[in-house]
Amino acid sequence: MASLSVPPVPTDPRRDAIDLHRAFKGFGCDATAVTAILAHRDASQRALIRRHYAAVYHQDLLHRLAAELSGHHKRAVLLWVLDPASRDAAVLHQALNGDVTDMRAATEVVCSRTPSQLLVVRQAYLARFGGGGLEHDVAVRASGDHQRLLLAYLRSPRYEGPEVVDMAAAARDARELYRAGERRLGTDERTFIRVFSERSAAHMAAVAAAYHHMYDRSLEKAVKSETSGNFGFGLLTILRCAESQAKYFAKVLHEAMKGLGTNDTTLIRVVTTRAEVDMQYIKAEYHRSYKRSLADAVHSETSGNYRTFLLSLVGRDR
């Protein structure tokens, strides 16, 4: 369930484009007006605003926003204005080709998306950045079992619809994973890659439950003991998202804001990519797990226009 709040009456995208242009004029940018408009429009509305802005002012709204805003606020707004697939493509391109390679961010995006989402992301990536496409960049930046897992996950057509899980098949997969890991000396990584990349989310959750029932040990602990590094992180991302995406992203947000300093890249990525998807569920899990509201945590870790914008996306506590 999304946290995004939009006006009850449909807005005029041409009027929004004009109001944004007015916010850019004069000395400095009226960031409050920018947030009031863009943080309260859904993806289709934002796309229409961009189209009208280009038609009226002969300039891409993204370019104007980049010139008018700054810092973390600018990064958050520029990601938010994009449609979901283009946003994921932008995050992946930055993670794989930026000044600092961030394979954790790339792994999170790939391993938390459905096959249909990844197909559109791959198309958006190629259209916007050209070159050899997403798979090529993953192949260049990742290595070993981590590379094999990401490429398999990008290519495998996992089932996404309503599903009555075959519990016998789940038990067989649990047995295969046990034999490929904890039962033997060393780890058969190919079996882990095959099962984790080819099975649906519902099936993987059933495999985890079967594993615990059969061996009195969680599959997550088995993955942690048998794998490491980015490969292990990818497997854990797949498993945790299969069991509960809301709980997974609540933990990612908590890790980004705990301790000294804030990982703003992670905070921006998760808030902008989940606000139109399941942020209400993430907020509930965050409160359940960490005994404070997500909005309160974001408020304490951010400031200024950046804080106002993120809190507009996160939404009020209910």
Side-chain angles (χ1 to χ4, degrees):
M1 184 177 178
S3 61
L4 179 65
S5 171
V6 298
V9 178
T11 55
D12 179 358
R14 189 174 187 277
R15 181 75 257 167
D16 282 342
I18 292 171
D19 287 344
L20 283 170
H21 187 70
R22 186 172 296 147
F24 300 147
K25 294 178 68 175
F27 183 72
C29 171
D30 185 351
T32 301
V34 172
T35 294
I37 296 171
L38 293 179
H40 297 284
R41 303 294 186 269
D42 63 27
S44 60
Q45 291 170 323
R46 297 194 303 275
L48 288 172
I49 292 171
R50 284 186 69 186
R51 190 180 305 169
H52 280 276
Y53 193 92
V56 175
Y57 301 109
H58 308 290
Q59 183 181 24
D60 188 340
L61 177 60
L62 282 176
H63 294 161
R64 189 59 189 267
L65 287 166
E68 296 290 340
L69 305 177
S70 62
H72 298 316
H73 182 218
K74 169 181 171 179
R75 293 168 57 202
V77 172
L78 290 180
L79 270 183
W80 174 246
V81 171
L82 300 172
D83 64 88
S86 296
R87 186 188 305 122
D88 278 349
V91 169
L92 285 164
H93 188 265
Q94 179 63 33
L96 295 169
N97 299 284
D99 294 335
V100 178
T101 303
D102 187 351
M103 293 310 300
R104 290 293 177 105
T107 302
E108 176 198 289
V109 173
V110 170
C111 294
S112 64
R113 304 306 192 253
T114 66
S116 59
Q117 288 172 332
L118 289 173
L119 175 62
V120 182
V121 170
R122 287 160 64 190
Q123 293 168 345
Y125 193 100
L126 185 62
R128 183 171 180 184
F129 303 111
L134 177 56
E135 290 177 72
H136 171 269
D137 288 353
V138 166
V140 169
R141 295 299 181 186
S143 61
D145 294 317
H146 180 227
Q147 178 202 76
R148 285 186 279 274
L149 175 67
L150 292 185
L151 292 177
Y153 207 76
L154 281 168
R155 295 165 179 166
S156 296
R158 294 171 299 283
Y159 183 71
E160 299 177 41
E163 182 177 3
V164 177
V165 176
D166 183 339
M167 298 308 295
R172 285 195 296 271
D173 281 341
R175 190 175 299 110
E176 274 201 72
L177 291 171
Y178 180 69
R179 290 172 176 171
E182 293 188 299
R183 185 179 175 181
R184 58 176 284 169
L185 183 63
T187 306
D188 177 5
E189 290 86 358
R190 292 185 182 278
T191 295
F192 276 83
I193 291 170
R194 177 175 55 78
V195 173
F196 276 70
S197 66
E198 294 179 3
R199 304 300 188 258
S200 69
H203 185 92
M204 277 307 305
V207 171
Y211 196 99
H212 191 276
H213 176 74
M214 295 163 68
Y215 305 111
D216 196 28
R217 179 175 169 83
S218 74
L219 180 55
E220 179 168 328
K221 287 183 178 179
V223 169
K224 288 179 177 178
S225 66
E226 294 295 322
T227 64
S228 61
N230 288 328
F231 175 52
F233 177 77
L235 294 176
L236 289 173
T237 300
I238 294 168
L239 179 59
R240 289 168 177 169
C241 285
E243 294 181 315
S244 172
Q245 281 203 326
K247 188 174 182 179
Y248 171 79
F249 283 110
K251 183 174 183 178
V252 172
L253 287 167
H254 177 68
E255 293 290 328
M257 293 185 283
K258 76 175 186 179
L260 186 64
T262 302
N263 186 333
D264 290 287
T265 298
T266 297
L267 180 59
I268 291 168
R269 179 179 70 249
V270 176
V271 170
T272 58
T273 57
R274 308 313 296 187
E276 290 181 280
V277 182
D278 55 0
M279 184 57 77
Q280 292 291 12
Y281 299 127
I282 294 170
K283 287 161 64 177
E285 285 290 346
Y286 193 96
H287 192 275
R288 184 178 297 114
S289 298
Y290 306 111
K291 311 308 177 188
R292 71 182 301 196
S293 73
L294 177 59
D296 181 55
V298 171
H299 187 276
S300 67
E301 295 295 326
T302 58
S303 61
N305 294 319
Y306 174 46
R307 170 197 285 166
T308 302
F309 187 76
L310 288 188
L311 288 176
S312 296
L313 299 186
V314 168
R316 296 178 179 179
D317 295 319
R318 294 183 177 181

